[in-house]
Amino acid sequence: MAPAADNTGAFAVSLMTFSPGIRGVQRSFKLRSVNFQGRLWLLAKDAAKALGTPVNSLRQRCQSGLDSSAWGYATVPDKTGRPAMMMLVAVDDLARFLCGARTRQGRMFRRWLEGLTRP
């Protein structure tokens, strides 16, 4: 089951850093993550920035290409600390979804995600 918005408040957010190490690309990307029901979830906005793709493009591709249990909306604190409704994507499903990534940055991000899902 994907995270759903509730009235009890926001999820606890932790910060992770992805460093692609590619010349001409931003040195590192800060990704906000949430642990929910034993699964790690990333904010779609942060994942899109790390992939180098527009946020709406990733959102539409996830909604059409992933199972409904792989993504969802939840109340998460934004950068200012106020609760906001944001889309979350499960890390393991996003890594499988990116198997056909064509860009170098996309392939590096997929490998980084796969490293997070391994025990």
Side-chain angles (χ1 to χ4, degrees):
M1 178 180 163
D6 59 359
N7 296 338
T8 60
F11 288 100
V13 176
S14 59
L15 200 61
M16 299 187 308
T17 304
F18 164 63
S19 301
I22 302 171
R23 180 173 281 156
V25 176
Q26 184 177 339
R27 286 182 184 239
S28 65
F29 297 92
K30 302 261 188 242
L31 294 130
R32 292 170 285 176
S33 64
V34 172
N35 198 353
F36 178 71
Q37 292 183 347
R39 290 178 77 182
L40 189 61
W41 299 76
L42 292 178
L43 270 67
K45 180 178 183 178
D46 298 341
K49 284 183 183 178
L51 278 168
T53 186
V55 177
N56 286 336
S57 174
L58 179 69
R59 185 176 294 132
Q60 289 173 351
R61 289 178 56 200
C62 286
Q63 289 175 347
S64 64
L66 289 176
D67 187 38
S68 62
S69 64
W71 61 273
Y73 289 92
T75 305
V76 178
D78 63 5
K79 292 181 181 179
T80 61
R82 294 176 299 183
M85 185 69 72
M86 297 188 189
M87 182 178 174
L88 300 174
V89 182
V91 169
D92 50 350
D93 292 315
L94 183 59
R96 280 195 300 272
F97 184 67
L98 292 175
C99 281
R102 295 182 185 150
T103 64
R104 186 172 178 202
Q105 187 172 350
R107 291 190 304 265
M108 299 278 287
F109 186 59
R110 185 198 70 222
R111 287 185 202 121
W112 183 77
L113 290 173
E114 289 171 347
L116 292 176
T117 58
R118 291 188 190 124

